[in-house]
Amino acid sequence: MEKTKYGSLKEIGEVSLYTLTNKNGMSISVTDLGATLVKVLVPDRTGTLRDVVLGYDTPEGYLENTCYFGATIGRSGNRIDKGRFVIGGKTYQLDINDNENDLHSGNHGYHIRKWEAIKADDEKNSITFTLFSPDGDQGFPGNFKVSVTYTLTEENELVLHYEGISDADTVANLTNHSYFNLGGHDSGSIEDHVLTLAAKSYTPVRDNQAIPTGEVAPVDGTPMDFTFPKAIGRDIEADFQQLIYVGGYDHNFVLSDKTGEQRKMAEAYCEKTGIVMEAFTDCCGVQFYAGNFITPQEGKDGVPYGKRHGFCLESQYYPNSINQAGFPSPLLKAGEKYDTVTSYKFSVRA
Ligand code: BGC
């Protein structure tokens, strides 16, 4: 593990960059600002290293980060209807920061906090970051102690392990918001990437505010079907109400009706570079977001980023599940352990 100074921020102080490298030359860099994944260098089919995630050169970029590039999202990723929910008969109110709803836990997300790097394990090639989120933080009940461990294996697998505990019943639903581009972060649209999702159903949204209706609908016979390898761009502009509502893919795909069992959730392939990414999780859902709302901006190395230059596979509880009795519950009981693993594994196809 290599630690370097990343910068110094008025609001936060010194922030560092931690880099893990494996024997194949693959490396990942993570900053304690937001426990954010800044860089993922993967060999392509010619052996050239490509940085396959979008991001910024400086920590200042991550303080703005309205797209949440690489960010660790918490205490609860995705949307909560009107930012409101009830636990134990008491109503809790979060920030309203996305139309009439809460998105990614409001204005003071975990992605703009300084996390503490507590443990580097050279044998496992891992680094652990921890954060204390007090009772009432963002509007949630319970003092919540949370950590995320990044591991890079010799099999080119990036493993994210989230652990947490709260002293009162709360919502726990963390995710990582990396935008992948297997052609390299500087290679433009991801619409040519071929994607497969292990999801026979998804949760349709009510309208353009993207809160699920509560139904679980089959993907079969619709543009939402990624049960077979399909270019992301093939159907993305289809005349299909669900896509029109949110400007392309930005939906929760149903992996299971429960959490806890590791399974492959997705595979993506970029023909240009030969890079394949397989993704695994024990979560019940994944937000497949095609980067429809990436506003034109300057990213790493001064590269101009824009609409659909990266895609996200955010493992999660279904959106607004705290308010949907029919969805698996994201409620974390007092004293119980929150423990979940999502990983992204890279290889090449000749
Ligand atoms: C949401 C998108 C949103 C993006 C960035 C994703 O998790 O599903 O609707 O635009 O995050 O905020």
Side-chain angles (χ1 to χ4, degrees):
M1 201 268 304
E2 191 199 355
K3 178 182 175 185
T4 53
K5 183 175 170 183
Y6 193 37
S8 188
L9 297 165
K10 202 165 61 263
E11 305 82 345
I12 299 239
E14 293 249 318
V15 289
S16 304
L17 198 62
Y18 300 83
T19 299
L20 305 173
T21 307
N22 71 12
K23 294 200 180 81
N24 313 316
M26 178 178 168
S27 71
I28 63 162
S29 299
V30 187
T31 172
D32 45 8
L33 170 58
T36 303
L37 184 61
V38 170
K39 197 188 273 188
V40 178
L41 288 174
V42 193
D44 69 10
R45 66 157 77 82
T46 70
T48 308
L49 291 174
R50 306 261 181 177
D51 184 356
V52 295
V53 291
L54 272 55
Y56 301 108
D57 283 326
T58 64
E60 283 78 9
Y62 289 101
L63 269 189
E64 297 291 319
N65 203 4
T66 52
C67 291
Y68 304 88
F69 292 149
T72 296
I73 309 284
R75 189 176 301 196
S76 183
N78 216 302
R79 294 179 172 83
I80 294 182
D81 194 8
K82 311 279 186 306
R84 201 177 303 140
F85 57 89
V86 177
I87 293 178
K90 199 169 161 205
T91 300
Y92 294 91
Q93 179 68 56
L94 312 178
D95 293 341
I96 303 301
N97 64 333
D98 186 66
N99 297 303
E100 295 166 15
N101 307 305
D102 177 85
L103 174 66
H104 299 326
S105 304
N107 302 321
H108 195 43
Y110 291 179
H111 67 293
I112 47 173
R113 314 271 179 99
K114 184 165 172 183
W115 291 57
E116 193 188 345
I118 48 161
K119 196 172 73 182
D121 185 327
D122 285 338
E123 210 147 288
K124 291 198 179 118
N125 209 17
S126 72
I127 170 106
T128 301
F129 299 91
T130 183
L131 182 79
F132 176 67
S133 172
D135 179 44
D137 189 16
Q138 302 169 323
F140 290 103
N143 291 296
F144 184 48
K145 271 204 283 197
V146 63
S147 70
V148 55
T149 300
Y150 283 81
T151 303
L152 176 62
T153 73
E154 293 303 323
E155 287 72 48
N156 287 3
E157 187 165 8
L158 159 59
V159 184
L160 291 100
H161 185 189
Y162 305 89
E163 292 166 278
I165 194 152
S166 169
D167 60 2
D169 293 0
T170 192
V171 182
N173 180 26
L174 278 84
T175 194
N176 180 277
H177 210 299
S178 287
Y179 288 70
F180 297 99
N181 188 323
L182 306 180
H185 79 101
D186 52 353
S187 69
S189 172
I190 47 77
E191 287 177 65
D192 61 349
H193 284 43
V194 176
L195 179 72
T196 315
L197 294 174
K200 292 197 175 76
S201 50
Y202 73 110
T203 52
V205 296
R206 216 150 61 185
D207 54 29
N208 63 358
Q209 296 202 20
I211 299 291
T213 59
E215 296 154 80
V216 171
V219 295
D220 193 29
T222 77
M224 310 305 280
D225 194 354
F226 280 91
T227 56
F228 56 93
K230 182 171 86 175
I232 292 176
R234 195 188 93 173
D235 300 334
I236 199 167
E237 298 294 345
D239 185 15
F240 185 68
Q241 190 58 59
Q242 284 296 315
L243 292 173
I244 294 167
Y245 277 149
V246 291
Y249 298 107
D250 189 1
H251 296 80
N252 171 65
F253 285 76
V254 172
L255 302 169
S256 176
D257 56 3
K258 53 182 175 306
T259 59
E261 200 185 303
Q262 270 296 329
R263 62 179 80 77
K264 183 161 166 176
M265 63 168 167
E267 179 167 324
Y269 170 61
C270 171
E271 235 250 276
K272 280 190 301 240
T273 58
I275 296 175
V276 177
M277 182 178 81
E278 294 168 90
F280 305 83
T281 191
D282 54 20
C283 294
C284 53
V286 60
Q287 187 82 7
F288 164 44
Y289 171 51
N292 311 303
F293 303 119
I294 302 175
T295 44
Q297 58 185 291
E298 197 179 294
K300 283 183 275 192
D301 311 323
V303 170
Y305 293 160
K307 182 175 173 179
R308 299 187 186 146
H309 283 201
F311 68 98
C312 305
L313 293 170
E314 303 156 63
S315 54
Q316 61 183 4
Y317 282 95
Y318 312 168
N320 195 36
S321 47
I322 190 66
N323 291 312
Q324 280 288 355
F327 288 174
S329 172
L331 187 76
L332 178 69
K333 292 273 194 193
E336 274 179 16
K337 195 171 172 201
Y338 176 71
D339 191 332
T340 168
V341 175
T342 294
S343 64
Y344 302 94
K345 185 170 187 223
F346 298 87
S347 57
V348 288
R349 203 171 284 164

